[in-house]
Amino acid sequence: MAAAAAASADYILKSGEVSAMIRQGFLESPTSSASRGSPRASPPPSAASPGRNHPSSPPPTTTLFDMIAEEERYHRYHHGRQHQQQGAKPPPVPLSEGQRRARLQETVAGILAGERQTSWGAGDVELTVSSSDGFSVSMNVHRGVLIARSRFFAEKLVGTRAEGASHAVEICECDDAEVYVEAVALMYCEEPRRKLVGEGVGKVLGLLKVSAAMLFDDGITSCLEHLEAAPWTDEEEEKVVALLSRLQLPRQPTSQVLGRVAVDPAASSSWADGIFLRLLGGVLQAKDEKARRELKTLLSGLLRDDAAPHDVGDDNRVGVSKETLYHLCRRCLDSLLACLSDAAGADEERRDRGALMGEIAREADNVRWLVDILVSRKAGEEFVRLWADQAELARLHGKIPCMYRFEISRVTAQLCVAMGRGQILVPREAKFALLHTWLGALYEDFAWMRRGGRTVDKKLVEEGLCRTILTLPMAQQQAILMDWFDRFLAKGDDCPNIQKAFEVWWRRAFVKQYVGEDDESSNQLQVAVCDCPAR
């Protein structure tokens, strides 16, 4: 009989029939019953020692509330075990309204039971806090504390009633009633900041907002000091900045908190350029190659984010100037020219080929990195002209074996790809000057570029060359493509294949044959002006 009853109870717990019956209205909810009368508290589980028999004691009577509580414990235990086995933390069990109220009352009672309570006596203000979701909680606090700590309560309570009379204060439609209660409890603390130690940033932001609404100055100061010292996540940082920008708070402590994220508005562009110049210059001259690659990636991402579109009102954003980038470009070109001069004048037998290749490749990589930054910031037009003017660099380039110099031609390929994609827009004179200076070197180095540069995309370079050449006048297209025709016949795959550009040029020259109109009147915009009839 007992075994059958135990099995039946275990089945009820596992199936959750008690909760189901409560939801369907067959059994009365313990919350509603508790509101009409306080049930007798059950003894803690540790009161009955497992493994001992008490034959003289009658078996305890199992009430409906005991079954509900046991069912909730059963499901929480097994749900938590399941999450632990899966390696995840069990989700927090939501508190009922009664449990929330009891927890708040316990918090308030703990604060009021401190040493300061003995000097205040019994509470003479019944403070009720209710939230928009219908939850409310009442507590007895002290008029003197509210007046002394809150300028809001001081204005409302001073002079309303005689000293010693009881008061009733209600704060309605709160965003979070629990935060209001905890802010009132914080007024009883001698050192509110110490009570905030260990609290999360979100909790402190809530207390700061309520303290500002109640004009609780000590609470405001304590919350700001906590926020200034506590670490933030990215999400918390946005919440802190958003809240402090909305609240009217003391300027000095607020500026101390925002000093962690806000740039001094007095900082000039020259100061910012000095920082960027130091960072970029440090990467260009780095000795450790692995660290250099990592920081290049880091700075490229940061500068790309800085160049991305921002909000319309974001006028205080500080970024690296174009002048700073071009200063570094000229410095790298000077270093590259010095390397080629040393290589061209060095004795072939005494030359360290490995060191020579590494030095030239390093400087060429620096130039490509800066060009990539300029392209991402839509500021690469001037570099096309700058690269086209490097006649001395191109002359020395021709005196160095391909195995040493091919990294330099990747700069030309990079610019052609950017111009072919429309990322750099320059006049035809600048494009033709660049091709006139460097296209022959690109042809000569193309085979080594394909073999030595793992990151070189042959198809991408060829497409960039085709598109760039086809933006030139027909006479210049003809000169470049006829020269390519002869080179391709001689070198084959060791020369870029730009047949697509050749085909387009051929159709333009011999098939479509676009011819301009001689009549100048056809190029003029015809505009007719007439009077509108009056209505």
Side-chain angles (χ1 to χ4, degrees):
M1 190 74 174
S8 177
D10 185 62
Y11 170 77
I12 291 175
L13 292 178
K14 292 181 179 180
S15 62
E17 287 187 0
V18 175
S19 297
M21 294 173 73
I22 289 176
R23 287 194 299 268
Q24 296 171 8
F26 292 105
L27 294 178
E28 192 174 14
S29 171
T31 304
S32 61
S33 299
S35 62
R36 292 195 296 266
S38 301
R40 179 169 54 89
S42 57
S46 59
S49 302
R52 294 185 181 180
N53 297 323
H54 300 277
S56 60
S57 302
T61 303
T62 303
T63 64
L64 174 61
F65 302 121
D66 296 334
M67 295 175 65
I68 295 173
E70 185 64 27
E71 178 186 335
E72 292 178 353
R73 285 195 296 269
Y74 176 86
H75 286 286
R76 282 199 299 266
Y77 173 76
H78 285 278
H79 198 55
R81 285 289 300 274
Q82 181 180 1
H83 277 78
Q84 289 177 1
Q85 292 173 358
Q86 296 175 355
K89 295 182 179 180
V93 179
L95 298 177
S96 65
E97 182 175 336
Q99 290 172 323
R100 289 171 62 192
R101 184 179 292 107
R103 188 182 65 177
L104 280 180
Q105 297 284 11
E106 183 180 353
T107 301
V108 175
I111 296 295
L112 300 182
E115 296 181 359
R116 196 169 182 183
Q117 162 67 6
T118 59
S119 61
W120 290 105
D124 53 1
V125 176
E126 182 181 0
L127 179 63
T128 302
V129 182
S130 59
S131 58
S132 55
D133 60 359
F135 174 77
S136 65
V137 62
S138 299
M139 53 184 172
N140 292 325
V141 293
H142 301 84
R143 180 176 180 273
V145 174
L146 298 181
I147 293 176
R149 307 304 292 273
S150 168
R151 288 182 284 126
F152 170 79
F153 284 116
E155 180 182 352
K156 301 298 181 183
L157 295 177
V158 169
T160 55
R161 292 189 182 183
E163 294 290 340
S166 60
H167 302 270
V169 179
E170 183 175 359
I171 303 177
C172 305
E173 299 296 325
C174 301
D175 294 336
D176 193 338
E178 299 182 34
V179 178
Y180 271 82
V181 172
E182 295 188 16
V184 172
L186 202 63
M187 296 181 184
Y188 283 84
C189 300
E190 291 286 353
E191 299 182 61
R193 182 184 176 186
R194 293 184 59 187
K195 290 294 182 182
L196 298 178
V197 175
E199 297 289 354
V201 172
K203 177 71 169 293
V204 176
L205 287 176
L207 289 171
L208 175 61
K209 183 179 179 181
V210 173
S211 298
M214 295 191 301
L215 303 179
F216 175 25
D217 295 333
D218 288 345
I220 294 173
T221 303
S222 299
C223 290
L224 290 176
E225 290 177 352
H226 180 95
L227 293 174
E228 193 276 331
W232 305 337
T233 63
D234 293 341
E235 182 179 357
E236 290 170 346
E237 177 179 313
E238 294 181 1
K239 293 180 179 179
V240 170
V241 175
L243 181 62
L244 293 184
S245 62
R246 294 198 309 265
L247 298 179
Q248 299 295 328
L249 299 176
R251 182 173 182 179
Q252 182 176 0
T254 302
S255 62
Q256 291 178 352
V257 177
L258 294 179
R260 292 167 52 168
V261 296
V263 178
D264 185 359
S268 62
S269 58
S270 60
W271 171 83
D273 280 344
I275 296 295
F276 286 117
L277 183 62
R278 177 180 175 183
L279 295 176
L280 295 174
V283 171
L284 295 175
Q285 300 173 4
K287 297 180 179 179
D288 187 281
E289 189 61 28
K290 181 176 181 297
R292 176 173 170 271
R293 289 195 302 268
E294 291 181 0
L295 291 183
K296 274 178 55 181
T297 304
L298 173 64
L299 289 180
S300 296
L302 295 176
L303 293 174
R304 192 173 293 111
D305 292 341
D306 178 71
H310 287 71
D311 295 336
V312 176
D314 189 10
D315 295 331
N316 295 325
R317 185 167 52 91
V318 178
V320 58
S321 67
K322 185 173 72 172
E323 291 74 16
T324 298
L325 292 174
Y326 275 102
H327 170 75
L328 292 172
C329 287
R330 293 184 179 90
R331 198 167 77 181
C332 288
L333 290 177
D334 291 341
S335 298
L336 187 58
L337 182 62
C339 289
L340 289 183
S341 299
D342 293 342
D347 187 1
E348 180 69 25
E349 297 180 357
R350 301 175 58 185
R351 186 171 5 186
D352 186 347
R353 294 185 177 182
L356 183 61
M357 291 177 62
E359 192 173 356
I360 295 176
R362 177 189 177 88
E363 293 299 335
D365 182 70
N366 285 339
V367 174
R368 291 198 306 273
W369 181 50
L370 292 174
V371 170
D372 182 65
I373 295 175
L374 289 170
V375 171
S376 67
R377 303 180 72 84
K378 301 179 181 179
E381 296 83 0
E382 185 177 340
F383 189 85
V384 173
R385 300 181 178 90
L386 184 62
W387 189 244
D389 292 340
Q390 301 300 312
E392 180 63 17
L393 189 63
R395 186 186 68 81
L396 292 174
H397 177 275
K399 297 182 177 182
I400 308 298
C402 291
M403 62 183 300
Y404 300 147
R405 72 189 190 194
F406 71 91
E407 293 283 357
I408 300 176
S409 292
R410 292 180 60 185
V411 178
T412 305
Q414 180 185 17
L415 292 174
C416 290
V417 170
M419 288 188 294
R421 288 177 169 176
Q423 296 172 326
I424 299 179
L425 300 178
V426 292
R428 57 189 182 186
E429 293 82 3
K431 282 183 282 189
F432 184 73
L434 181 142
L435 295 177
H436 177 74
T437 303
W438 289 106
L439 187 57
L442 177 62
Y443 289 155
E444 296 295 329
D445 296 345
F446 191 72
W448 273 97
M449 286 173 57
R450 291 176 53 199
R451 298 168 192 152
R454 299 179 181 178
T455 59
V456 174
D457 189 332
K458 175 177 179 292
K459 297 295 183 182
L460 191 64
V461 174
E462 292 172 345
E463 182 179 359
L465 278 172
C466 289
R467 292 189 175 190
T468 301
I469 293 170
L470 292 174
T471 61
L472 299 173
M474 285 291 292
Q476 293 176 352
Q477 293 181 39
Q478 176 180 336
I480 292 175
L481 291 172
M482 292 301 293
D483 177 69
W484 165 83
F485 190 85
D486 295 334
R487 288 176 181 269
F488 191 75
L489 287 175
K491 302 186 68 172
D493 289 340
D494 287 343
C495 182
N497 190 340
I498 53 176
Q499 293 184 33
K500 291 182 180 180
F502 191 89
E503 292 175 3
V504 173
W505 166 76
W506 181 274
R507 288 196 300 269
R508 290 173 177 176
F510 302 108
V511 180
K512 294 182 179 180
Q513 292 189 348
Y514 293 108
V515 179
E517 296 288 343
D518 293 335
D519 186 4
E520 294 183 359
S521 63
S522 62
N523 297 325
Q524 296 180 355
L525 179 65
Q526 302 296 323
V527 181
V529 180
C530 61
D531 296 332
C532 295
R535 295 184 178 179

